[in-house]
């Protein structure tokens, strides 16, 4: 609901809790999307690293990975960056923008 200021010619709005809640929901949603993309990329990199050696039994425990396994993981990460990187960077940027909006007095 809009209120008229002391100068009845201008319309002012009271601070809105809804604006803050909306921003909070948008931030939470983008963080969830980012976590999902990160998980997908990590899973794809691990599959590339561990799936290339059918004879041996590589472990998911990264502390026991050899140089060859790490090289396959990193090669997959570099290849997948083209498809995951832009979306992840965009989400990081949007989260930062939304967080800055949270600090504006109008969002309080």
């Amino acid at each position: 609901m809009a209120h008229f200021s002391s100068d009845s010619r201008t319309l002012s709005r009271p601070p809105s809790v809804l604006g803050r809640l909306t921003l909070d929901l948008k931030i939470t949603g983008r963080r969830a999307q980012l976590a999902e993309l990160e998980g997908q990329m990590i899973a794809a990199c691990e599959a590339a690293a561990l799936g290339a050696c059918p004879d041996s039994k590589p472990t998911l425990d990264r502390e026991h990975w050899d140089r060859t396994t790490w090289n396959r993981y990193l090669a997959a990460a570099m290849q997948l960056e083209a498809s995951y990187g832009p979306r992840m960077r965009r989400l990081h940027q949007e989260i930062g923008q939304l967080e800055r909006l949270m600090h504006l007095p109008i969002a309080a």
Side-chain angles (χ1 to χ4, degrees):
M1 176 178 200
H3 296 335
F4 287 100
S5 67
S6 58
D7 179 3
S8 62
R9 292 172 289 166
T10 60
L11 196 58
S12 67
R13 292 180 182 239
S16 173
V17 173
L18 181 60
R20 187 168 185 78
L21 292 174
T22 301
L23 289 172
D24 225 7
L25 287 172
K26 289 180 182 279
I27 291 169
T28 301
R30 281 167 178 77
R31 284 185 178 150
Q33 290 175 10
L34 182 59
E36 177 68 24
L37 285 173
E38 289 171 344
Q40 290 173 6
M41 186 172 175
I42 289 168
C45 291
E46 287 176 344
L50 301 175
C53 319
D55 295 339
S56 64
K57 290 201 162 208
T59 175
L60 279 176
D61 184 4
R62 293 179 183 179
E63 290 184 24
H64 296 102
W65 284 7
D66 60 13
R67 181 177 294 264
T68 304
T69 305
W70 274 111
N71 286 340
R72 284 192 302 267
Y73 182 94
L74 294 174
M78 289 187 310
Q79 183 178 16
L80 292 169
E81 197 286 329
S83 59
Y84 285 93
R87 292 182 287 168
M88 292 168 73
R89 284 188 294 278
R90 188 197 80 235
L91 286 167
H92 274 290
Q93 181 182 23
E94 290 175 4
I95 291 166
Q97 290 169 341
L98 291 166
E99 287 174 338
R100 285 189 293 279
L101 284 174
M102 289 283 279
H103 296 294
L104 293 175
I106 197 164

